[in-house]
Amino acid sequence: MSHMYETKRREYTQGGLRRADLANSPYTQFERWFNQAEAGGVSDPTAMVLATVSADGQPSQRIVLLKQLDERGFVFFTNYNSRKGRELAGNLNASLLFPWQMFDRQVKVCGRVEKLQRSVSEAYFASRPRTSQLAAWASPQSDVIASREQLQEKYNQLEQQYADGDIPTPEHWGGYRVVPAEVEFWQGGAHRLHDCFRYRYENNQWSIDRVGP
């Protein structure tokens, strides 16, 4: 089977991006764009594509949700025994991508990952809905399972087990922080002449360069 996808081309006409418009910090610039995405109706603006690499060099991607951002980096939570968790255990380099297509924008983050302190993960886990807490226990994320029914049965068992008390944080579950070395802001432009600026952290400060789109 063969299918060509070049027929649905369009121009990117939502406006340019200039160096004078950029904040000195990528975190401040990210917050500006995030707030615009959220106010503009972007579906799930915290959704970000996380890319990790296996020991044999095979990249893998999946969508996770941004849960916190400060000047230390971008935080998400997951199962440490999942494929992404296993790959991060062997290679701390990772990349994030925020695809805000409604505004013809992308934000790409490249850096290294660090685990959050256990107390931070436990505090966040306690704030989650009970259904999400139970799902974290029930799902052997990335492992083969026999059926949907098996997963539901495990969930039901846990629901009964913890019916009268708090649900503890699984040892295999917690948070990561992606500490960026580079943050790239891409704004679509007409005639494929997009605008792209890259922040790089060197010598304890951020530098900004325009890069070819």
Side-chain angles (χ1 to χ4, degrees), residues 5-6 8-13 186-195 212-213:
Y5 293 96
E6 286 294 323
K8 296 183 179 181
R9 299 178 67 85
R10 68 179 178 88
E11 285 290 358
Y12 297 88
T13 59
W186 183 96
Q187 174 72 66
H191 314 304
R192 295 301 188 268
L193 296 177
H194 314 300
D195 291 300

Side-chain angles (χ1 to χ4, degrees), residues 90-106:
N91 183 345
L92 295 175
N93 295 307
S95 181
L96 304 172
L97 178 70
F98 294 85
W100 295 329
Q101 293 170 302
M102 181 180 291
F103 288 86
D104 295 339
R105 288 174 174 175
Q106 301 178 54

Side-chain angles (χ1 to χ4, degrees), residues 157-207:
Q157 291 173 353
L158 290 162
E159 192 173 31
Q160 294 177 8
Q161 179 180 344
Y162 294 112
D164 298 322
D166 293 336
I167 303 171
T169 307
E171 288 296 324
H172 60 266
W173 189 96
Y176 292 99
R177 176 181 291 110
V178 179
V179 181
E182 295 182 359
V183 184
E184 193 170 284
F185 294 83
W186 183 96
Q187 174 72 66
H191 314 304
R192 295 301 188 268
L193 296 177
H194 314 300
D195 291 300
C196 187
F197 288 90
R198 180 186 298 149
Y199 291 73
R200 299 186 67 179
Y201 194 69
E202 299 174 312
N203 301 319
N204 297 317
Q205 62 183 356
W206 290 100
S207 61

Side-chain angles (χ1 to χ4, degrees), residues 60-197:
S60 178
Q61 297 172 299
R62 74 289 288 163
I63 293 176
V64 297
L65 300 180
L66 176 68
K67 292 300 181 181
Q68 181 182 342
L69 174 66
D70 56 30
E71 294 200 351
R72 294 172 295 174
F74 298 75
V75 169
F76 67 94
F77 294 85
T78 191
N79 186 319
Y80 290 144
N81 294 333
S82 65
R83 177 170 178 171
K84 54 186 166 303
R86 295 194 299 267
E87 291 180 350
L88 289 171
N91 183 345
L92 295 175
N93 295 307
S95 181
L96 304 172
L97 178 70
F98 294 85
W100 295 329
Q101 293 170 302
M102 181 180 291
F103 288 86
D104 295 339
R105 288 174 174 175
Q106 301 178 54
V107 180
K108 182 176 69 175
V109 179
C110 294
R112 289 176 67 81
V113 170
E114 60 186 26
K115 276 188 177 181
L116 299 186
Q117 292 181 350
R118 187 65 185 167
S119 60
V120 176
S121 294
E122 289 176 342
Y124 175 71
F125 188 84
S127 75
R128 303 180 87 202
R130 286 181 67 86
T131 52
S132 297
Q133 293 176 342
L134 290 168
W137 276 103
S139 175
Q141 198 173 101
S142 301
D143 289 348
V144 175
I145 58 176
S147 65
R148 167 83 184 191
E149 289 71 23
Q150 181 190 56
L151 186 64
Q152 186 66 55
E153 182 179 352
K154 179 64 174 178
Y155 181 95
N156 294 342
Q157 291 173 353
L158 290 162
E159 192 173 31
Q160 294 177 8
Q161 179 180 344
Y162 294 112
D164 298 322
D166 293 336
I167 303 171
T169 307
E171 288 296 324
H172 60 266
W173 189 96
Y176 292 99
R177 176 181 291 110
V178 179
V179 181
E182 295 182 359
V183 184
E184 193 170 284
F185 294 83
W186 183 96
Q187 174 72 66
H191 314 304
R192 295 301 188 268
L193 296 177
H194 314 300
D195 291 300
C196 187
F197 288 90

Side-chain angles (χ1 to χ4, degrees), residues 24-81:
N24 291 329
S25 164
Y27 301 114
T28 303
Q29 184 62 35
F30 180 89
E31 286 288 347
R32 287 179 184 174
W33 273 22
F34 179 87
N35 291 338
Q36 291 170 8
E38 188 173 43
V42 170
S43 177
D44 295 328
T46 63
M48 55 189 186
V49 180
L50 167 68
T52 57
V53 182
S54 67
D56 61 0
Q58 173 61 56
S60 178
Q61 297 172 299
R62 74 289 288 163
I63 293 176
V64 297
L65 300 180
L66 176 68
K67 292 300 181 181
Q68 181 182 342
L69 174 66
D70 56 30
E71 294 200 351
R72 294 172 295 174
F74 298 75
V75 169
F76 67 94
F77 294 85
T78 191
N79 186 319
Y80 290 144
N81 294 333

